[in-house]
Amino acid sequence: MDVGAAETELKDVAVQVAAEAADLVRRARDAMVAGEPVSVETKTTDTDVVTAVDRAAEQLVRDRLAELRPGDHVLGEEAGGAAGDGVTWVVDPIDGTVNFLYGAPLFAVSLAAQVDGVSVAGAVVEPVSGRCWTAVRGQGAWLDGRRLSVSSPERLELSLIGTGFAYQAERRARQARLVSGLLTRVRDVRRAGVASLDLCAVAAGWLDGYLEHGLHRWDWAAGALVAEEAGAVVHLPGSDPALGADATFAAAPSIAGALYDAAVECGVKEV
Ligand code: IPD
């Protein structure tokens, strides 16, 4: 089998498993919105939460991958794990847990297949809208089967930029200083609360760029591939010290250089 076919098969598995997990999450949300209580615990801070639904969805993903891809490794937001030889699946069972908890409809199941730390296939599925974002390295990115391609804004001042904030207060203060510097240089700034979907939004041209510090691998593994395969300039955490130690950056090529320079001028390295 050629390499491209193997990656397409991984994408098909990602879609199938992420869609099953999304179905579980959607049914749980329907029950929650109807008044059924959901068990919630905190993680790194009082505002960093995990629900029983996150855990159940991740378990479903692990169980299904064990059936469909025995021997592959799994790294997940809730149950941990580690990368290994061959394929490692990286899962965020509910990216946007805070939105989920508030009953807001924007959150997603994110699932990527990585080899040697590089995403080769992925799917981001939104339980409420049913939207399914996919990508295969070297082959492209799609939203519900429609090929995606980034925007081409003329200049940074006309660009819509997404961002997000960490759960730690001191880090947020530094992130706020960066955003305050960028605000006067761009059309506007958005904060959706779902990093994977921010990256997909860059792929679709719904955002012209996106920058956030402190993401975990499960937040970006699928979405960054979708953005890259749609033509975005992407920098992953750890890849460019000038952007700070752990920046995730994705932008349309027409403004990527200007956004990068503006971020550097606004002290991105200190974030
Ligand atoms: C969070 C979301 C949010 C981003 C945070 C992430 P979670 O993921 O992606 O948009 O700003 O940095 O931790 O906790 O909802 O899986």
Side-chain angles (χ1 to χ4, degrees):
M1 187 192 301
D2 67 53
V3 176
E7 290 164 351
T8 299
E9 271 189 32
L10 293 173
K11 184 263 293 171
D12 291 342
V13 171
V15 169
Q16 182 179 343
V17 174
E20 289 178 27
D23 197 45
L24 179 154
V25 173
R26 186 187 44 74
R27 281 186 278 108
R29 176 184 189 263
D30 289 347
M32 188 183 78
V33 168
E36 200 170 290
V38 169
S39 137
V40 185
E41 290 165 41
T42 57
K43 298 195 286 185
T44 56
T45 69
D46 286 352
T47 51
D48 182 8
V49 289
V50 54
T51 71
V53 185
D54 295 71
R55 293 197 206 283
E58 182 165 323
Q59 193 55 53
L60 181 150
V61 168
R62 287 173 181 274
D63 292 346
R64 292 294 284 131
L65 288 174
E67 288 164 15
L68 296 167
R69 299 279 314 176
D72 287 357
H73 304 269
V74 183
L75 170 66
E77 176 170 20
E78 311 309 344
D85 288 342
V87 174
T88 298
W89 294 90
V90 183
V91 55
D92 189 337
I94 304 182
D95 187 25
T97 302
V98 173
N99 285 352
F100 172 82
L101 196 59
Y102 275 71
L106 199 66
F107 49 87
V109 177
S110 171
L111 182 59
Q114 292 197 327
V115 176
D116 296 331
V118 176
S119 298
V120 296
V124 179
V125 180
E126 297 179 54
V128 176
S129 70
R131 278 192 289 255
C132 177
W133 307 81
T134 54
V136 179
R137 180 159 297 280
Q139 294 182 40
W142 300 267
L143 167 56
D144 295 331
R146 179 175 63 82
R147 187 79 184 247
L148 293 170
S149 159
V150 294
S151 59
S152 51
E154 267 176 39
R155 52 186 206 273
L156 186 61
E157 293 75 9
L158 300 179
S159 300
L160 190 59
I161 305 300
T163 192
F165 304 108
Y167 289 110
Q168 294 72 25
E170 317 91 68
R171 188 128 219 227
R172 289 185 155 223
R174 298 197 296 275
Q175 290 175 318
R177 283 196 284 278
L178 171 63
V179 171
S180 129
L182 288 176
L183 255 178
T184 53
R185 303 169 189 237
V186 301
R187 181 192 295 274
D188 210 344
V189 169
R190 296 285 182 269
R191 195 291 197 250
V194 195
S196 58
L197 291 178
D198 288 325
L199 289 158
C200 290
V202 172
W206 300 351
L207 288 174
D208 300 307
Y210 166 74
L211 174 62
E212 177 168 356
H213 290 76
L215 291 185
H216 296 283
R217 185 169 290 264
W218 42 80
D219 297 312
W220 59 256
L225 181 62
V226 174
E228 192 178 344
E229 285 298 322
V233 174
V234 172
H235 299 285
L236 295 175
S239 67
D240 187 344
L243 285 174
D246 57 6
T248 303
F249 175 104
S254 65
I255 55 100
L259 178 60
Y260 183 104
D261 292 347
V264 170
E265 278 167 29
C266 294
V268 71
K269 212 174 160 188
E270 317 312 321
V271 173

